[in-house]
Amino acid sequence: MTAPAAKTNAVRKAAPAPDLSADDAPLYAARRAIYPQSVHGTFRRIKWIVLIVTLGIYYFLPFVRWDRGPDAPNQAVLIDFPARRFYFFFIEIWPQEFYYIAGLLILAALILFLMNAVAGRVWCGYLCPQTVWTDLFMAVERMIEGDRRERIAADNAPWTIDKIAHKTLKHSLWLLIAWWTGGAWVLYFDDAPTLVRELATFQASATAYTSIAVLTFTTYVLAGHMREQVCTYMCPWPRIQAALTDEYALNVTYLYDRGEPRGSLKKVAQLRAEGKPAGDCIDCNQCVNVCPTGVDIRKGLQLDCIQCGLCIDACDNVMDKIHRPRGLITYESEANLEARARGEAPVRRIVRMRTILYAALICGIGGLMLATLVNRSTEGLAAIHDRNPVFVRLSDGALRNAYTLRLINKKLYDRTFALSVSGVPGASLTVVGTDAGSEHDALLVGPDQTREVRVLVTTKDKLAAGASLPVTFEIRDTATGVAARASDHFIAP
């Protein structure tokens, strides 16, 4: 046995074997504390703008008013369960129009796919509610406890009156934000000013208080404590996104060809002075320190990375200080990384078959939904032929069929409809239970209601034996002239 081999064996014998028994081996890795450092730059400004706009819309939109006329709610965005209505400014969605909700969900998925095809997890980095509220909670944390170094020192220090005061204030503000979040959510389901007054005077329903409590708890836990673990372990999108991306999607990327070999600023300067290869990365770890999920982007694209771009800001700031070009960490595609390795010029392919397909589907589905929304009716009519008997021969030889009609008024005010029939030669129409028997009977239908009437269609014209003629009923709004029709058959013996 050679000397190196003997030495290696001696080391192996001296080192105790790890105990990998099922009782002692950890099933999950222990969570490491992450202390994101504040950073300034383009992407941080974009995130602040998105945060302010999105949270401003969420918290204050319930108080925006929209005049819909008398007897109609004037809240711009309202989910009115008792009235079975969803109001969004001038749009009004009815329960039977759930396909609009399905269409919106399909559009949301396609938009998410398009965003992923263009710029990876841009939704996660800027628009996801978990990201937005976590950013807000971390801003409060920095305001009270300081930046990264101060928070690390405070957490490692023993408990003092000052530390307890800071922790208490931070968690109190977190709970206040979480409570406001839950309170804003329930305002979308009732008139906001009225519900605020009822909540303040403890006159609101138990459902409202329970909903606020649940949302307060979840917001406080997810945004204040779990943070990056929600993105890493709970959210399914990182797994789905990985299957949908391609080599042309832009992702936050470390340019290996430019950054390696990395080293300290002095070492890099010495290597350059000696004419040896040296990268621009000085191993300062600023990209890791600012990352909200603790990712080292220099190790490549990872599941934990939410593509927020804060590491780009941090790296650009360092490059400015050491007088090197910006963009060591940037949004780049896998195809361009390979092109750079081959010495070829990078090419951006935002418009390609995948993005064209997604955009076409979004436009097609959106256009179809818009067309159906514009052309939908606010009245309806349904006709059901009597089954027994299907026809009656009167004493004067006339033939009569009976029908049940259901008139639908989707407006929030009374409407009067004139009823008529066509398709049967010499037919006359009688509405059972009305004084007049003409085809112009005025039928009143209440707001957001249906009315069922029984009608008789009679003809003295001779019809062929066993004839089945198509018959059409029409209701016409006497005020606006808008009409709805329903078809059935007139049956002869």
Side-chain angles (χ1 to χ4, degrees), residues 13 15 22 93 117 195 203 221 238 288 352 359 374 386 389 413 432 437 476 480:
K13 292 178 181 179
I93 304 298
L195 185 55
Q203 296 177 350
V221 171
V288 182
R352 55 191 190 277
V374 171
D386 276 10
Y413 53 82
V432 178
R476 186 172 295 275
T480 63

Side-chain angles (χ1 to χ4, degrees), residues 60-379:
F60 298 107
L61 186 57
F63 297 96
V64 177
R65 302 292 97 181
W66 188 268
D67 185 14
R68 297 186 179 90
D71 302 322
N74 65 346
Q75 186 163 310
V77 179
L78 176 65
I79 303 172
D80 192 350
F81 279 130
R84 302 179 301 279
R85 289 286 191 277
F86 170 57
Y87 299 98
F88 185 81
F89 294 92
F90 63 91
I91 300 174
E92 182 179 327
I93 304 298
W94 304 305
Q96 62 270 33
E97 295 178 328
F98 183 79
Y99 50 82
Y100 284 116
I101 306 299
L104 287 175
L105 293 176
I106 294 172
L107 281 179
L110 289 173
I111 292 172
L112 197 59
F113 296 163
L114 178 60
M115 293 169 66
N116 170 64
V118 173
R121 292 175 63 183
V122 64
W123 162 264
C124 300
Y126 300 92
L127 295 167
C128 176
Q130 173 66 18
T131 298
V132 172
W133 263 278
T134 299
D135 268 356
L136 179 61
F137 274 51
M138 286 194 296
V140 172
E141 186 175 57
R142 290 193 189 98
M143 180 180 66
I144 296 172
E145 296 184 345
D147 208 350
R148 171 183 165 85
R149 292 183 180 179
E150 289 81 0
R151 295 200 307 277
I152 294 175
D155 284 354
N156 293 330
W159 286 93
T160 62
I161 297 298
D162 186 64
K163 181 176 178 178
I164 293 173
H166 282 84
K167 294 289 185 182
T168 301
L169 178 59
K170 179 184 75 174
H171 288 279
S172 298
L173 290 178
W174 280 1
L175 284 171
L176 182 62
I177 295 171
W179 169 78
W180 192 9
T181 301
W185 176 254
V186 301
L187 298 182
Y188 286 92
F189 297 86
D190 203 346
D191 182 66
T194 303
L195 185 55
V196 168
R197 184 168 56 253
E198 291 176 350
L199 289 169
T201 57
F202 300 99
Q203 296 177 350
S205 65
T207 303
Y209 290 111
T210 303
S211 300
I212 293 174
V214 170
L215 287 169
T216 299
F217 173 77
T218 54
T219 305
Y220 172 74
V221 171
L222 297 181
H225 295 277
M226 298 187 68
R227 293 185 177 179
E228 76 285 346
Q229 298 207 39
V230 175
C231 305
T232 305
Y233 302 109
M234 294 176 63
C235 180
W237 178 236
R239 284 85 179 167
I240 300 172
Q241 182 263 350
L244 291 174
T245 192
D246 62 9
E247 67 272 22
Y248 297 106
L250 298 176
N251 291 287
V252 175
T253 305
Y254 169 69
L255 301 183
Y256 303 95
D257 61 306
R258 180 184 152 188
E260 301 296 328
R262 72 182 81 155
S264 66
L265 187 59
K266 290 183 179 179
K267 180 179 178 181
V268 167
Q270 182 180 353
L271 289 173
R272 288 198 181 103
E274 297 173 356
K276 297 179 180 180
D280 285 347
C281 179
I282 61 173
D283 219 8
C284 62
N285 282 328
Q286 285 301 300
C287 56
V288 182
N289 293 341
V290 302
C291 180
T293 60
V295 167
D296 187 347
I297 195 62
R298 296 171 297 180
K299 296 180 180 179
L301 196 60
Q302 300 161 62
L303 178 70
D304 300 9
C305 178
I306 62 172
Q307 305 283 306
C308 63
L310 295 183
C311 55
I312 299 177
D313 287 338
C315 187
D316 284 348
N317 292 337
V318 173
M319 292 297 107
D320 291 342
K321 293 177 181 178
I322 65 174
H323 308 293
R324 300 298 297 173
R326 288 185 163 208
L328 177 59
I329 301 176
T330 184
Y331 273 97
E332 191 56 277
S333 66
E334 193 69 27
N336 279 342
L337 282 183
E338 296 176 0
R340 291 174 65 94
R342 296 191 299 265
E344 300 174 0
V347 178
R348 293 283 172 90
R349 290 188 59 186
I350 302 294
V351 180
R352 55 191 190 277
M353 185 56 65
R354 182 187 296 256
T355 56
I356 292 174
L357 176 61
Y358 290 148
L361 288 173
I362 291 170
C363 293
I365 296 174
L368 179 62
M369 291 176 59
L370 181 61
T372 57
L373 185 65
V374 171
N375 296 315
R376 67 177 180 170
S377 64
T378 57
E379 58 285 318

